[in-house]
């Protein structure tokens, strides 16, 4: 097995970037240092050993990120703001999905003979119930998977480290999700409203206000995502003016 | 890891005057600066190499050093640090306080 140094360096850089604590310009500087240490070690070690010993001498990503964080006291707030925005984004996408599922269930129930009245009875509570459902389900998923917040942190960090490509991919994913949720919602509404459904699939029509409402929903989700990315990039390249490094990573 | 020698706290505290003092001899970049500190200390001060950079960036934030990316001799981009006027003043202040500390210690150890 031959040692792929480029891949190792990429991995090494990513392990810092995904923690969101170092700027790209700082990473360039660290990499320059890494290469100088490597060159010094290569006199006595093979290329792979030289790389790992140099990386070790520079310090672990966790320890270094912690030291860099001390230079930037308000970073903690930016991380918190990012978590709040991520929570809002999840709420925007998950609660409507849950409520659509509930509506579908109510519609199914209403179709069972003798249960027609149940749908009308349950419907006023559907939004509260869907919120509860999302909270309980996400708490259960987090507990069952034993996932640490680092998983989310790393995921956001690695997508954001891809620069604009990463952003547009994330926008496409979120818009597709929102579209799926909207579709599910329309279906569920049609399903729970028998007189409308009876008139055929064209029954759910959008007025101009309806379209504007729909568009603003998408715009809101994209704005939330943009804010998450903006914070991530800000966290990752804190002082671009001082470094003068290129804005695009890799 | 640290073994005998100055404690982590002492190493951290002395990093600031040391970096300023080395930069007072002329502008430099991280790696060379670290080797110079190593040489001056005779290997007694062991720094985790990467830890130098948060120190440098803090000094830069305080306006004590100025950094610029420049082409190194091998064609690669390298970040050079130079002491500012404010940095020179800070070095003088650091020097006065450290000399006060060492003088006191010397007196205390010498006078029994």
């Amino acid at each position: 097995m031959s040692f792929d140094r480029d891949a190792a360096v990429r991995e090494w850089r990513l392990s810092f970037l995904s923690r969101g604590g170092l700027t790209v310009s700082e990473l360039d500087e660290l990499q320059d240092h890494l290469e100088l240490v490597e060159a010094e070690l290569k006199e006595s070690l093979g290329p792979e050993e030289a790389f790992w010993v140099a990386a070790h001498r520079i310090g672990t990503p966790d320890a270094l990120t912690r030291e860099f964080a001390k230079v930037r006291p308000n970073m903690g707030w930016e991380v918190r703001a990012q978590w709040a925005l991520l929570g809002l984004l999840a709420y925007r996408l998950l609660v409507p999905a849950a409520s659509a599922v509930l509506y579908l269930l109510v519609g199914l129930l209403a179709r069972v003979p003798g249960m027609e009245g149940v749908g009308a009875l349950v419907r006023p509570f559907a939004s509260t119930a869907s919120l509860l459902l999302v909270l309980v389900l996400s708490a259960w998923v987090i507990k069952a998977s034993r996932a640490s917040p680092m998983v989310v942190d790393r995921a956001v960090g690695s997508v954001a480290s891809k620069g604009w490509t990463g952003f547009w991919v994330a926008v496409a994913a979120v818009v597709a999700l929102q579209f799926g949720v909207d579709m599910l919602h329309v279906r569920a509404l049609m399903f729970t409203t028998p007189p409308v459904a009876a008139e055929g699939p064209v029954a759910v029509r959008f007025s101009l206000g309806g379209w504007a409402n729909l568009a603003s929903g998408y715009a809101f989700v994209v704005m939330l995502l943009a804010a998450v990315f903006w914070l991530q990039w800000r966290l990752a390249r804190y002082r671009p003016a001082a470094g003068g490094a290129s804005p695009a990573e890799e | 890891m640290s073994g005998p020698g100055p404690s982590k706290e002492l190493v951290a505290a002395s990093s600031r005057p040391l970096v300023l003092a080395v930069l007072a001899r002329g502008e430099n970049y991280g790696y060379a600066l670290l080797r110079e500190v190593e040489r001056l200390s005779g290997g007694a001060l062991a720094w985790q190499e990467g830890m130098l950079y948060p120190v440098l960036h803090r000094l830069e934030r305080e306006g004590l050093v100025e950094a610029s990316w420049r082409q190194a001799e091998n064609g690669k981009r390298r970040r050079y640090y130079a002491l500012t006027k404010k940095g020179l003043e800070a070095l003088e202040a650091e020097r006065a306080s450290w000399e006060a500390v060492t003088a006191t210690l010397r007196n205390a150890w010498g006078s029994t």
Side-chain angles (χ1 to χ4, degrees):
Chain A
M1 266 219 286
S2 67
F3 173 59
D4 184 352
R5 188 183 169 276
D6 287 342
V9 169
R10 231 176 296 128
E11 200 53 39
W12 179 77
R13 284 181 71 100
L14 200 63
S15 65
F16 284 96
L17 274 180
S18 61
R19 282 170 175 76
L22 262 74
T23 72
V24 171
S25 133
E26 283 161 354
L27 257 177
D28 288 342
E29 192 177 22
L30 269 189
Q31 191 180 336
D32 180 44
H33 192 118
L34 178 88
E35 280 160 9
L36 288 163
V37 176
E38 256 184 293
E40 167 199 313
L41 289 168
K42 265 180 191 159
E43 287 163 20
S44 50
L45 296 173
E48 185 168 3
E49 282 86 356
F51 173 83
W52 290 115
V53 173
H56 179 77
R57 260 173 57 179
I58 291 212
T60 64
D62 278 332
L64 267 184
T65 302
R66 227 176 297 125
E67 280 309 307
F68 272 96
K70 287 182 191 161
V71 190
R72 301 186 262 265
N74 52 348
M75 193 161 91
W77 283 106
E78 286 170 5
V79 171
R80 286 187 189 99
Q82 201 185 32
W83 275 103
L85 289 170
L86 278 172
L88 213 57
L89 193 65
Y91 174 85
R92 261 309 290 223
L93 293 172
L94 291 179
V95 170
S99 95
V101 169
L102 278 181
Y103 273 121
L104 283 173
L105 282 176
V106 168
L108 268 179
L109 214 62
R111 257 144 243 251
V112 177
M115 299 281 265
E116 288 89 349
V118 176
L121 204 72
V122 171
R123 213 196 275 177
F125 305 104
S127 58
T128 319
S130 54
L131 185 57
L132 262 174
L133 189 72
V134 167
L135 282 177
V136 170
L137 270 180
S138 41
W140 179 77
V141 166
I142 290 168
K143 201 166 186 302
S145 66
R146 295 210 190 108
S148 87
M150 276 300 254
V151 175
V152 178
D153 238 32
R154 289 227 176 103
V156 174
S158 72
V159 176
S161 72
K162 303 274 187 301
W164 284 106
T165 325
F167 176 68
W168 291 117
V169 167
V171 166
V174 164
V175 165
L177 251 166
Q178 173 83 52
F179 183 72
V181 168
D182 281 347
M183 281 290 114
L184 199 65
H185 226 133
V186 169
R187 283 290 145 87
L189 275 177
M190 278 160 60
F191 198 57
T192 41
T193 333
V196 179
E199 281 167 29
V202 280
V204 178
R205 252 170 296 163
F206 287 110
S207 59
L208 193 64
W211 281 112
N213 195 21
L214 197 71
S216 73
Y218 283 87
F220 182 60
V221 165
V222 171
M223 257 167 53
L224 279 179
L225 199 66
V228 167
F229 269 74
W230 178 72
L231 278 171
Q232 185 66 32
W233 286 335
R234 206 183 130 77
L235 286 165
R237 43 192 85 152
Y238 218 79
R239 300 166 303 117
S246 60
E249 159 67 4
E250 247 76 90
Chain B
M1 282 282 283
S2 57
S7 69
K8 237 169 78 182
E9 288 76 13
L10 193 56
V11 169
S14 62
S15 65
R16 189 186 162 93
L18 253 172
V19 168
L20 290 174
V22 172
L23 287 178
R25 301 162 160 218
E27 65 162 14
N28 219 333
Y29 58 98
Y31 176 82
L33 209 159
L34 208 71
R35 295 287 90 85
E36 183 61 13
V37 168
E38 221 168 63
R39 193 186 65 80
L40 288 169
S41 75
L45 289 183
W47 287 4
Q48 181 89 61
E49 311 224 346
M51 298 301 181
L52 168 69
Y53 294 96
V55 174
L56 280 170
H57 295 178
R58 185 185 296 262
L59 294 174
E60 190 188 352
R61 264 203 150 181
E62 292 172 25
L64 306 185
V65 303
E66 248 169 11
S68 57
W69 282 98
R70 242 172 302 146
Q71 210 78 240
E73 69 280 0
N74 60 358
K76 280 191 177 159
R77 275 160 16 100
R78 184 159 289 160
R79 204 151 189 254
Y80 285 86
Y81 295 86
L83 213 59
T84 63
K85 221 179 126 212
K86 206 175 152 197
L88 211 61
E89 286 162 18
L91 174 62
E92 282 314 308
E94 286 279 352
R95 191 178 178 155
S97 33
W98 280 86
E99 269 168 6
V101 171
T102 44
T104 310
L105 283 173
R106 214 175 297 121
N107 288 338
W109 285 322
S111 61
T112 21

